[in-house]
Amino acid sequence: MTNTDFGTRDGFIWIDGTLVPWEKAECHILSHSLHMAGAVFEGMRAYDKHIFLCQAHIERLARSADLVGYRLPWTTTELTRATEAVIWANGLNDCYIRPVAWRGSQSVSVAATTAHIHVAIAAWDWPTPATQGMAHNGIRLVLADWRRPAPDTAPTASKCSGMYMIGTLARHTAQQGGYDDALMLDSHDNIAETTATNIVLIKDNCLVSPLPTCFLDSITKHHVFALAQDMKLTSNQQTVTLNMLADADEVFVVGTAVEILPVTELATRNHVFRWPVGALTKRLMATFARSIRADATTSKSAT
């Protein structure tokens, strides 16, 4: 049976420059970020041992740290090499990767300018919905009561731990109601994102996603937009209303963990909207699956 306790697994985690046994990769209970939610992290994947869109993710990790007031003590190149070492040490091929940085235990007050900055990188086998044969099933969403905060109220462009608290609350409520995830609005009643993925609608062969003014802009989404352009489809980011979403031909969510997942239903207080798992979404999913393997093959050929 799969071990679901992430604290008691076999393997190695890179922490502050050293590969340590998984169960010994710990931080102190009085670490500032545990109390004040200042950790930043990334979700990445490797396919055939190749880290997909690695530089973009590591650079965003550094930007996230900068947005919450600290700098990473490692360069992009150093963190890339460390990630490669983690994959190698754990004997992984396809895997999910979680780099995380946080303020240490030198302060537990609100101010923590003297706190040491720690960085860790873990990787493990986390199958995608596609590899589990579930990608074409589609997911059901419910409209969340929580909203994404306005950009002048929080560092919304940072992949910061504190930004995910409302996502946890919203997804718990959704799952308790029998749904897969929750869709959040912004402070102006426009569509924002789900609890952890960007949402994309397809209308008249055009991919449309909300402007990432109050949530994290998906790196994987922009990869999908580039694939769509190669397929002679158009794409753009703009304000998306609930009515626009309801009128879409197809809808899907996108992110590192799930890749591309069709959305088949959205329940609001007054309406239930439904969409098919459409032909364009299926084409994008197939094209994405080829692209991640082609990218890995290209990288190997270049080295």
Side-chain angles (χ1 to χ4, degrees), residues 220-239:
T220 305
K221 176 186 68 183
H222 286 287
H223 175 73
V224 171
F225 278 8
L227 296 177
Q229 184 175 5
D230 292 340
M231 294 164 59
K232 309 304 181 185
L233 303 173
T234 58
S235 60
N236 66 75
Q237 297 186 124
Q238 64 180 76
T239 300

Side-chain angles (χ1 to χ4, degrees), residues 43-53 83 87 92-97 123-124 126 128 256 259 292-293 296:
M44 303 161 63
R45 279 197 180 273
Y47 300 96
D48 298 324
K49 296 184 174 67
H50 171 66
I51 308 164
F52 187 60
L53 302 173
T83 305
I87 295 170
L92 295 166
N93 191 39
D94 288 7
C95 62
Y96 181 82
I97 306 156
W124 63 91
W126 185 6
T128 65
T256 296
E259 299 178 333
I292 57 179
R293 300 297 171 185

Side-chain angles (χ1 to χ4, degrees), residues 144-167:
D145 291 329
W146 294 98
R147 294 170 182 258
R148 283 297 177 202
D152 59 351
T153 65
T156 57
S158 172
K159 195 171 178 68
C160 174
S161 58
M163 301 304 302
Y164 283 79
M165 177 180 64
I166 56 174

Side-chain angles (χ1 to χ4, degrees), residues 147-153 184-192 214:
R147 294 170 182 258
R148 283 297 177 202
D152 59 351
T153 65
M184 294 181 176
L185 302 178
D186 64 16
S187 58
H188 300 289
D189 290 334
N190 296 313
I191 301 296
C214 64

